[in-house]
């Protein structure tokens, strides 16, 4: 049976030492962000995830969902778990206080999101998507719409879903055909079909709020003719109470490789009553505003899976006895040594640890920048933070989701044949993680966003939000021999990344295929340098504390930072060579 223990100490390290969120106590919502108040919150979230959500994960995977005549039924325990989640007040954590939320910053919510994803990703999709729908409505909804839908969404009694995809329209949402006809009373009637709608139908909540992309009769063709609408499974009366059933029906559920308890629904809208959100034909703009947070959340799904996969691989490697260490028996009293003595097993586990702890710090740093971009009063800080978020969003989404899948696969490898067997639980992580690289914009499309929109923006303005602090950090430690083993590789690889950036920018003007052909590799290189920067800063903190009361914790940070610099970061050399080899061998090949 798999195990999961929430990494509370590492969350505290990131919040209090790496990000030092206490320094922002004057920023709106941060007053309660200190360790005294946050530690009990973290402990309570950890307990719920470990004791309520995690035990349902493996069981739910085996039982799966049932569909019957428009109704989706979840395995026993999910409804009760969702009630526990709602009763704990977790859905309202970061929501607006005007609608019953607690108004806390996203960065404080990140540990909860990660823990839920580690414990039970299928479960996590419903509250995660609801939060995305909430974000769209709070940003673009009229006051009337907000009053009607938000209070129940904030408490979690109603959930929200995002309805974009149609059979012919996946990445290319300009191909959407769902229609919206205006009604005399100012509402609209939505007609059409959507596929792959996560949590489109379920019994966890009293009502389901649908955010739907559709086309008005006078819409221009393509992406510029898409509008955003809000509708709901049950009509909502003016006083906020629930009315009769709307013309929304789940026609079936997709049978998937993983996420067996997340209902991925085929939805039919047969003249469903809906309301316009934001301006006519500007639906994609509304979607883009909330995409940074949504993409970060999907990245955290990968991180969460990576963490639980790592924990299980580590526990198994300490227990499983096979062969002797190359340098002589380490446990001569046993029939064989535990496999953790073998260099290749250690390499796999350290790869997971470096990914999880580095990725966690990077994801939480992103969340903090999103908060500061919204909440800080200094326009200069707001701009810098927003620039960082714009640039790093595709990088973080793709790196954490590619990594989540890779770390799950490494866990299977550490388990050997037992990893491939259902009972041990780690193969589920491989299946569950795979979709995160596809939805919320495939990772290939993230790379196109990075090289196509983010690099060139404002003559490299976004890039400066990353390179300037990196450069400043390296300069600060120029004369610090204790940091040299971290800052030297960081300096060298920053140079490689700049070289790749320049190559893509110049070659991309001559032949766009050259830029697009290397985009995914460039995105990976970017992420690996960003993680090196994270690890160098974690090492800086650890160096100052390694002799103290929690010496072991900080020593492990230093060990992992060293491993990252020496064994992961050098992969960039190969990536640089491949990027600068251009696209000829790709585009000229006969297929
Ligand atoms: C389990 C699950 C849950 C989902 N949940 C939701 C949901 O809640 N709401 C919702 O609306 N949708 C949802 N989706 C849909 C998901 O967002 C889409 O599958 C995704 O956007 C990709 O679209 P597609 O599957 O049509 O692939 P396509 O767009 O057909 O892409 C196929 C391949 O071509 C590549 N490609 C496409 N265009 C380009 C290009 N210009 N350059 C380079 N490569 C390109 C892609 O990267 C991909 O590798 C879900 C899907 C699944 C499987």
């Amino acid at each position: 049976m798999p195990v999961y223990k929430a990494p509370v100490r590492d969350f505290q390290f990131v919040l209090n030492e790496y990000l030092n969120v206490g320094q922002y106590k004057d920023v709106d919502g941060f007053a309660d962000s200190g360790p005294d108040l946050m530690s009990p919150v973290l402990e309570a979230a950890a307990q719920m995830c470990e004791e309520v959500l995690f035990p349902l994960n493996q069981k739910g995977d085996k039982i799966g969902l049932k569909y019957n005549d428009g109704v989706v039924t979840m395995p026993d325990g999910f409804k009760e778990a969702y009630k526990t989640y709602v009763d704990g007040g977790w859905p309202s954590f970061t929501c607006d206080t005007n609608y019953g939320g607690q108004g806390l910053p996203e960065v404080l919510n990140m540990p909860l999101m990660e823990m839920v994803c580690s414990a039970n990703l299928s479960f996590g999709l419903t509250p995660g998507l609801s939060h995305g729908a909430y974000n769209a409505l709070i940003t673009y909804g009229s006051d009337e719409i907000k009053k009607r839908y938000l209070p129940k969404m904030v408490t979690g009694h109603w959930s929200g879903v995002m309805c974009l995809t149609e059979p012919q329209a996946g990445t290319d949402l300009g191909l959407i055909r769902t229609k919206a006809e205006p009604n005399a009373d100012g509402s609209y009637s939505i007609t059409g079909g959507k596929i792959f709608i996560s949590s489109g139908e379920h019994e966890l909540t009293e009502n389901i709020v649908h955010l739907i992309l559709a086309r008005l009769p006078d819409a221009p063709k393509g992406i510029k003719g898409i509008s955003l609408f809000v509708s709901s499974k049950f009509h909502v009366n003016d006083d906020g109470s629930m009315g009769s059933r709307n013309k929304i029906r789940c026609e079936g559920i997709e049978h998937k490789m993983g996420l067996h308890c997340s209902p991925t629904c085929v939805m039919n809208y047969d003249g469903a009553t809906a309301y316009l959100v934001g301006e006519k034909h500007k639906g994609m703009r509304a979607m883009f505003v909330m995409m940074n947070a949504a993409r970060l959340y999907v990245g955290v799904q990968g991180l969460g899976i990576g963490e639980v996969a790592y924990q299980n691989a580590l526990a198994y490697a300490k227990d499983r006895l096979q062969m002797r260490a190359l340098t002589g028996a380490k446990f001569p009293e046993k029939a064989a040594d535990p496999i953790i003595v073998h260099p290749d097993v250690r390499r796999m586990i350290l790869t997971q640890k470096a990914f999880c702890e580095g990725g966690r710090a990077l994801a939480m740093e992103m969340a903090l920048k999103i908060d500061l971009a919204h909440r800080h009063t200094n326009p200069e800080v707001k701009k810098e933070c927003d620039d960082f978020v714009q640039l790093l969003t595709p990088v973080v989404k793709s790196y954490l989701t590619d990594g989540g899948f890779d770390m799950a696969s490494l866990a299977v490898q550490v388990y050997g044949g037992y990893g491939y067997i259902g009972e041990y639980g780690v193969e589920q992580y491989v299946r569950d993680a795979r979709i995160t690289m596809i939805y919320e914009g495939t990772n290939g499309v993230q790379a196109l966003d990075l090289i196509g929109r983010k690099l060139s923006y404002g003559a490299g303005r976004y890039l400066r939000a990353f390179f300037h602090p990196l450069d400043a950090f390296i300069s600060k430690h120029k004369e610090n021999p204790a940091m040299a083993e971290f800052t030297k590789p960081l300096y060298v690889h920053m140079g490689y990344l700049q070289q790749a950036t320049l190559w893509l920018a110049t070659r991309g003007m001559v032949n766009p295929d050259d830029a697009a052909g290397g985009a995914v590799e460039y995105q990976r290189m970017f992420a690996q340098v960003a993680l090196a920067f994270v690890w160098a800063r974690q090492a800086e903190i650890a160096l100052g504390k390694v002799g103290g009361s929690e010496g072991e914790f900080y020593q492990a940070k230093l060990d992992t930072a060293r491993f990252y610099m020496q064994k992961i970061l050098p992969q960039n050399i190969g990536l640089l060579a491949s990027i600068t080899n251009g696209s000829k061998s790709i585009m000229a090949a006969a297929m």
Side-chain angles (χ1 to χ4, degrees):
M1 285 293 277
V3 292
Y4 174 63
K5 185 97 191 103
V8 172
R9 178 65 187 94
D10 205 48
F11 289 131
Q12 287 166 335
F13 170 77
V14 175
L15 284 172
N16 303 323
E17 297 172 69
Y18 179 72
L19 298 176
N20 185 15
V21 289
Q23 68 183 299
Y24 303 109
K25 64 178 183 308
D26 295 334
V27 176
D28 181 32
F30 278 78
D32 295 338
S33 60
D36 296 352
L37 285 159
M38 277 314 292
S39 287
V41 175
L42 283 175
E43 295 290 352
Q47 191 181 2
M48 176 189 59
C49 293
E50 290 165 6
E51 295 176 11
V52 180
L53 303 185
F54 184 64
L56 288 177
N57 191 43
Q58 207 185 1
K59 235 189 306 177
D61 180 61
K62 295 212 163 36
I63 300 169
L65 301 160
K66 287 198 180 68
Y67 172 84
N68 184 24
D69 194 18
V71 177
V72 177
T73 312
M74 292 199 166
D76 287 350
F78 272 77
K79 231 172 153 173
E80 294 75 8
Y82 188 78
K83 186 173 179 318
T84 306
Y85 187 82
V86 168
D87 290 349
W90 300 110
S92 66
F93 206 69
T94 59
C95 296
D96 192 324
T97 49
N98 291 317
Y99 298 95
Q102 301 175 53
L104 289 159
E106 291 292 340
V107 65
L108 301 183
N109 200 33
M110 292 296 279
L112 171 71
M113 287 162 64
E114 187 200 306
M115 288 185 265
V116 170
C117 294
S118 287
N120 194 329
L121 184 55
S122 276
F123 174 93
L125 252 64
T126 302
L129 282 156
S130 293
H131 197 57
Y134 159 86
N135 275 335
L137 291 181
I138 194 89
T139 314
Y140 280 98
S142 63
D143 284 347
E144 202 186 332
I145 284 178
K146 287 183 196 169
K147 259 189 255 155
R148 182 177 299 172
Y149 295 105
L150 289 186
K152 290 278 176 67
M153 290 177 78
V154 166
T155 60
H157 289 98
W158 296 356
S159 58
V161 292
M162 311 296 296
C163 312
L164 290 69
T165 308
E166 297 177 11
Q168 76 295 344
T171 300
D172 192 351
L173 293 169
L175 300 174
I176 278 176
R177 290 185 196 143
T178 296
K179 284 189 201 147
E181 298 278 348
N183 298 324
D185 64 358
S187 68
Y188 294 82
S189 293
I190 304 276
T191 305
K194 298 278 176 185
I195 59 164
F196 296 162
I197 304 307
S198 299
S199 308
E201 175 58 40
H202 56 78
E203 300 176 306
L204 298 181
T205 55
E206 298 155 9
N207 203 359
I208 302 174
V209 177
H210 291 238
L211 282 171
I212 307 164
L213 288 184
R215 214 174 259 293
L216 285 159
D218 61 341
K221 278 209 169 98
I223 204 79
K224 292 194 171 140
I226 307 288
S227 305
L228 179 64
F229 298 87
V230 60
S231 185
S232 50
K233 179 174 164 184
F234 290 95
H235 292 287
V236 182
N237 302 320
D238 289 343
D239 64 356
S241 62
M242 260 167 43
S244 58
R245 187 78 197 239
N246 205 348
K247 291 177 183 154
I248 296 179
R249 186 182 145 89
C250 172
E251 297 293 351
I253 49 174
E254 319 281 1
H255 301 283
K256 309 191 295 293
M257 172 179 178
L259 295 185
H260 288 166
C261 289
S262 164
T264 310
C265 301
V266 178
M267 299 303 304
N268 184 41
Y269 303 91
D270 187 15
T273 306
Y275 304 92
L276 183 68
V277 179
E279 288 177 58
K280 270 168 66 170
H281 315 317
K282 300 268 170 71
M284 289 313 295
R285 190 196 281 178
M287 282 288 161
F288 271 117
V289 161
M290 34 160 294
M291 255 172 206
N292 287 336
R295 289 184 169 168
L296 173 60
Y297 171 61
V298 174
V300 171
Q301 295 180 3
L303 176 62
I305 295 271
E307 172 66 29
V308 72
Y310 156 61
Q311 289 188 18
N312 282 280
L314 178 62
Y316 187 82
K318 286 179 175 173
D319 191 53
R320 173 72 173 164
L321 306 180
Q322 289 292 292
M323 309 283 285
R324 288 291 178 193
L326 291 172
T327 49
K330 297 289 180 273
F331 294 85
E333 74 286 3
K334 295 186 175 176
D337 281 336
I339 58 171
I340 197 154
V341 303
H342 304 310
D344 188 50
V345 174
R346 298 177 73 81
R347 174 193 64 79
M348 291 192 273
I349 286 171
L350 279 163
T351 300
Q352 293 176 315
K353 184 172 166 64
F355 167 80
C356 293
E357 293 182 16
R360 175 174 302 125
L362 182 60
M364 289 173 68
E365 190 169 358
M366 278 278 287
L368 176 64
K369 302 264 186 197
I370 291 175
D371 287 324
L372 296 178
H374 285 125
R375 297 172 186 243
H376 208 282
T377 47
N378 181 336
E380 204 43 45
V381 175
K382 282 169 102 77
K383 180 173 130 313
E384 269 170 28
C385 290
D386 190 57
D387 287 357
F388 180 93
V389 170
Q390 297 298 343
L391 180 70
L392 267 292
T393 293
V395 174
V396 168
K397 190 272 173 178
S398 57
Y399 186 70
L400 294 184
T401 54
D402 285 348
F405 177 74
D406 290 347
M407 300 311 129
S409 179
L410 281 180
V412 170
Q413 196 70 15
V414 169
Y415 273 67
Y418 293 98
Y420 199 68
I421 305 289
E423 288 90 315
Y424 288 78
V426 285
E427 54 83 41
Q428 183 189 346
Y429 299 133
V430 177
R431 291 185 284 105
D432 284 358
R434 189 61 186 83
I435 184 58
T436 63
M437 300 149 82
I438 297 171
Y439 58 29
E440 203 53 54
T442 64
N443 288 357
V445 170
Q446 302 295 327
L448 293 181
D449 178 39
L450 177 66
I451 61 151
R453 292 181 343 120
K454 304 300 171 65
L455 294 192
S456 56
Y457 185 86
R461 188 180 117 180
Y462 290 163
L463 283 170
R464 289 193 284 279
F466 177 74
F467 282 116
H468 281 182
L470 176 52
D471 213 21
F473 179 83
I474 292 168
S475 302
K476 177 177 136 193
H477 288 290
K478 219 171 173 182
E479 309 298 330
N480 181 355
M483 279 295 289
E485 60 178 317
F486 308 109
T487 48
K488 277 196 178 150
L490 190 55
Y491 176 73
V492 169
H493 285 265
M494 178 178 80
Y496 292 150
L497 182 60
Q498 286 171 333
Q499 213 179 312
T501 308
L502 193 63
W503 192 91
L504 284 179
T506 39
R507 282 301 305 170
M509 308 271 257
V510 183
N511 178 5
D513 285 342
D514 273 347
V520 164
E521 287 153 326
Y522 176 75
Q523 183 166 253
R524 160 68 53 141
M525 203 177 172
F526 212 117
Q528 289 183 163
V529 173
L531 228 70
F533 188 22
V534 167
W535 272 114
R537 282 175 289 163
Q538 298 210 12
E540 181 190 31
I541 298 165
L543 278 172
K545 298 198 171 171
V546 78
S549 60
E550 277 189 294
E552 226 174 276
F553 176 84
Y554 295 105
Q555 186 58 50
K557 285 279 175 210
L558 284 175
D559 294 343
T560 315
R562 283 185 185 118
F563 170 82
Y564 185 85
M565 297 297 174
Q566 292 174 29
K567 304 301 282 186
I568 306 281
L569 191 57
Q571 292 167 7
N572 281 350
I573 296 166
L575 292 172
L576 177 63
S578 176
I579 292 165
T580 52
N581 278 338
S583 65
K584 203 165 170 201
S585 64
I586 301 175
M587 300 314 284
M591 288 194 184

